[in-house]
Amino acid sequence: MDSRAIGVFDSGLGGLTAVSALRELLPGEDVVYFGDTGRVPYGTRSAETIFRYAAQDVRFLLGHELKCIVVACGTVSSVALPRLLEMTDIPILGVIEPAVRAAVRATKNGRIGVVGTSATIRSGTYREGLLAANPGLEIISKPCPLLVPLVEDGRFSEGCTVTELLVEEYVSPLLKQNIDTLILGCTHYPLLTGIFSKLCGPDVALINPGYEAVSALRELLSENDALRGGGPACGEHYYVSDSEQQFLQYAEMFLRGPVHGQVQRIDIENY
């Protein structure tokens, strides 16, 4: 048994969808979350800048007693994960491989769509992973650079005309190519599940990478007898690089429940 916490980080609020999955799948675990809200979004940055930001995020989290880190960011997982793995001996899990496995299981016609930030799509990591799993798949990818800022601004509910029009513009070309599975390749996008579902219909499976990553983490911890043991739980700790109040404004919607614990602002440039 291992009572150390699970670290989670993202460029902003999107990684809270992974914390929501942790609450569901690993409810006894303590969580330390960092959202780099002062530098969101990562998806429009260069690969070197993304790595620099992510390395600072990891160094901050390593200041806590952790047994693993979940990179709850599609951009970082696709661009910087191999270099982050060299920074520590504890496991660091990204969201790409678990989502790839889920998509391969879900597809029936072998036509899989991938939406994500510009950096994620440009990296080709999803395409490479899917084709490595099954060379016969047809992958149709689309960068969606404007969705993260809209989600961070709270514009993710059904009926938000601007967001609905953007999702339609981004996803319609993929639907015209008869995809039956769509990877929501950014942890912000599950907040748009209602909009994606309405557009795609019941015949397109939507893959939530954050949820799949936490599912994979549960398997890993179980196999290594590293699930949390007895003793008092410390709960959840939240850190951000910008306004605590702005974080709290939308955090409950991302978590699908209340924020447990305090939110503290830190200067990530010190790490």
Side-chain angles (χ1 to χ4, degrees):
M1 299 297 179
D2 192 335
S3 61
R4 291 177 295 171
I6 296 170
V8 183
F9 78 91
D10 180 44
S11 62
L13 292 160
L16 294 175
T17 58
V19 177
S20 177
L22 281 168
R23 288 180 173 183
E24 177 183 345
L25 299 178
L26 291 167
E29 300 289 342
D30 297 337
V31 176
V32 178
Y33 180 85
F34 173 66
D36 196 1
T37 52
R39 302 188 297 197
V40 67
Y42 283 8
T44 57
R45 316 280 186 170
S46 69
E48 193 56 38
T49 296
I50 292 166
F51 170 70
R52 178 167 63 85
Y53 287 179
Q56 291 175 316
D57 302 345
V58 169
R59 282 194 288 269
F60 167 71
L61 287 175
L62 289 175
H64 299 77
E65 287 292 320
L66 302 179
K67 58 185 170 186
C68 61
I69 294 175
V70 177
V71 182
C73 176
T75 296
V76 174
S77 297
S78 62
V79 173
L81 186 59
R83 295 169 70 182
L84 297 179
L85 293 172
E86 299 173 359
M87 295 179 60
T88 178
D89 292 331
I90 66 172
I92 300 181
L93 282 73
V95 296
I96 306 293
E97 290 186 14
V100 164
R101 291 195 295 269
V104 171
R105 291 194 302 267
T107 187
K108 295 180 176 61
N109 68 4
R111 303 172 71 86
I112 298 175
V114 182
V115 289
T117 67
S118 297
T120 294
I121 301 303
R122 186 168 59 245
S123 75
T125 309
Y126 272 114
R127 173 180 292 276
E128 292 170 8
L130 289 164
L131 293 178
N134 182 349
L137 295 173
E138 184 167 351
I139 316 303
I140 304 97
S141 303
K142 181 70 175 178
C144 307
L146 297 178
L147 291 184
V148 167
L150 284 171
V151 172
E152 289 280 328
D153 195 42
R155 297 172 181 266
F156 46 74
S157 301
E158 290 184 68
C160 181
T161 304
V162 172
T163 307
E164 288 184 340
L165 288 173
L166 266 176
V167 170
E168 182 177 4
E169 179 179 335
Y170 288 143
V171 177
S172 290
L174 282 64
L175 296 175
K176 289 178 181 178
Q177 297 190 57
N178 198 33
I179 63 167
D180 74 345
T181 303
L182 180 63
I183 297 176
L184 305 181
C186 173
T187 50
H188 285 71
Y189 296 177
L191 267 292
L192 303 171
T193 295
I195 296 175
F196 278 106
S197 296
K198 182 179 178 181
L199 177 65
C200 295
D203 295 329
V204 176
L206 301 179
I207 306 300
N208 179 340
Y211 184 91
E212 299 300 336
V214 172
S215 180
L217 175 62
R218 181 174 61 176
E219 292 182 17
L220 176 66
L221 295 179
S222 180
E223 290 170 0
N224 290 280
D225 196 25
L227 294 169
R228 193 179 193 284
C234 297
E236 300 170 358
H237 301 269
Y238 297 94
Y239 299 89
V240 294
S241 56
D242 203 354
S243 167
E244 299 100 320
Q245 291 304 315
Q246 186 174 0
F247 176 87
L248 287 168
Q249 184 177 356
Y250 298 117
E252 291 188 354
M253 287 181 271
F254 280 73
L255 290 168
R256 304 185 191 282
V259 175
H260 301 312
Q262 294 184 333
V263 181
Q264 181 178 341
R265 181 178 180 178
I266 60 110
D267 187 351
I268 193 62
E269 294 290 354
N270 289 334
Y271 293 88

